[in-house]
Amino acid sequence: MRTIVFATSNEDKLKEIREILPEAELLTMGGIGFHEEIEENGQSFEDNALIKARAVADYIRKARPDLSDALVLADDSGLEIDAMDGMPGVHSHRWLGERTYREAMEDIIAKLDGLPDEKRGTRFVCAIAAVLPRTEDAEEGRELVLRRTVEGIVARSIRGEGGFGYDPFFYVPEYGCTTAEMSREQKNAISHRGKALRAMREELLREGLL
Ligand code: IMP
């Protein structure tokens, strides 16, 4: 069974990932003894996912030679709003400042007040990066990176208790509800992270790495 170290400390994320990647043994950063804060200062979701995956792969090289066959995965995600030139984007979490998610969503809803649906476009984006195990002839492990999105519109009011973050105002017209009103299975089936993880799994299977 392939060991995958996922660059997260978030147990909820890990649960979701475990459902999508049943053929791997999944470990977290904490689980392999990596406790440093990784500075996510990239300009894109792909940059940030790669920064995290490389940091963990570096740690394994230096401190955990017993895991040299492990594959490292990292994700980075966020929300883009068309009427705000793609903001908050890679800054989705930092952009909150002192506000709660609820307050930030209410601010955005007020800012978009009066805009018709066709101008309320938004998407969740998720990039996933992989650093593959080093082969005999390579100094560095090869890298893969991909992105997937889910499209929605900014709702006119906050709805739903499920999910997290910006889910309660992310309205998906095809389903007639926000992602916070979906079951976990329903959201995983259509979400940016679910799609990106499944695409990465396909890629790893194609490469014979799973
Ligand atoms: P992370 O870097 O993948 O942990 O995500 C960055 C931020 O993007 C989160 O803190 C949320 O603000 C936002 N975000 C990412 N994915 C979702 C989602 O599925 N629902 C709601 N908010 C999300």
Side-chain angles (χ1 to χ4, degrees):
M1 196 183 226
R2 171 73 60 185
T3 301
I4 294 184
V5 181
F6 206 99
T8 184
S9 311
N10 181 331
E11 282 297 326
D12 282 336
K13 250 191 206 177
L14 209 71
K15 213 186 283 169
E16 187 179 315
I17 296 160
R18 219 165 250 134
E19 282 168 15
I20 297 175
L21 286 170
E23 47 282 276
E25 182 199 2
L26 276 169
L27 302 175
T28 56
M29 297 195 291
I32 64 162
F34 182 99
H35 299 292
E36 282 163 47
E37 189 77 26
I38 304 171
E39 200 185 340
E40 296 174 33
N41 52 8
Q43 298 299 307
S44 66
F45 296 105
E46 284 84 351
D47 284 353
N48 280 336
L50 275 168
I51 287 170
K52 286 185 260 188
R54 284 176 188 152
V56 174
D58 262 359
Y59 171 81
I60 290 175
R61 197 152 42 228
K62 289 181 191 135
R64 294 294 306 264
D66 56 310
L67 292 175
S68 62
D69 284 340
L71 202 152
V72 180
L73 290 183
D75 74 328
D76 192 56
S77 58
L79 179 78
E80 291 179 346
I81 296 173
D82 294 341
M84 291 166 56
D85 293 327
M87 282 292 283
V90 285
H91 311 295
S92 290
H93 189 65
R94 259 172 296 163
W95 186 78
L96 292 175
E98 299 291 304
R99 295 171 298 178
T100 61
Y101 275 106
R102 196 179 177 91
E103 288 162 351
M105 288 188 284
E106 276 164 357
D107 287 349
I108 294 170
I109 289 170
K111 200 182 269 197
L112 269 53
D113 188 34
L115 283 187
D117 282 0
E118 53 281 15
K119 297 209 168 127
R120 304 178 75 88
T122 181
R123 71 200 53 76
F124 280 128
V125 180
C126 177
I128 298 209
V131 177
L132 308 185
R134 277 189 297 167
T135 50
E136 302 242 316
D137 51 346
E139 186 59 27
E140 305 286 331
R142 204 154 57 81
E143 297 173 343
L144 305 173
V145 59
L146 54 82
R147 95 156 43 193
R148 291 294 183 274
T149 59
V150 53
E151 300 285 330
I153 60 175
V154 175
R156 288 179 167 74
S157 61
I158 287 169
R159 279 168 46 178
E161 305 294 325
F164 68 99
Y166 298 98
D167 280 323
F169 86 161
F170 192 92
Y171 184 81
V172 188
E174 294 86 335
Y175 289 78
C177 65
T178 67
T179 43
E181 293 176 297
M182 294 180 179
S183 67
R184 220 160 67 93
E185 292 73 24
Q186 223 175 358
K187 186 184 160 195
N188 282 351
I190 64 142
S191 81
H192 50 320
R193 204 174 359 266
K195 286 185 198 165
L197 278 167
R198 285 189 292 274
M200 181 56 83
R201 174 174 176 269
E202 291 297 317
E203 192 76 27
L204 296 176
L205 284 169
R206 228 186 336 266
E207 299 254 357
L209 288 157
L210 273 185

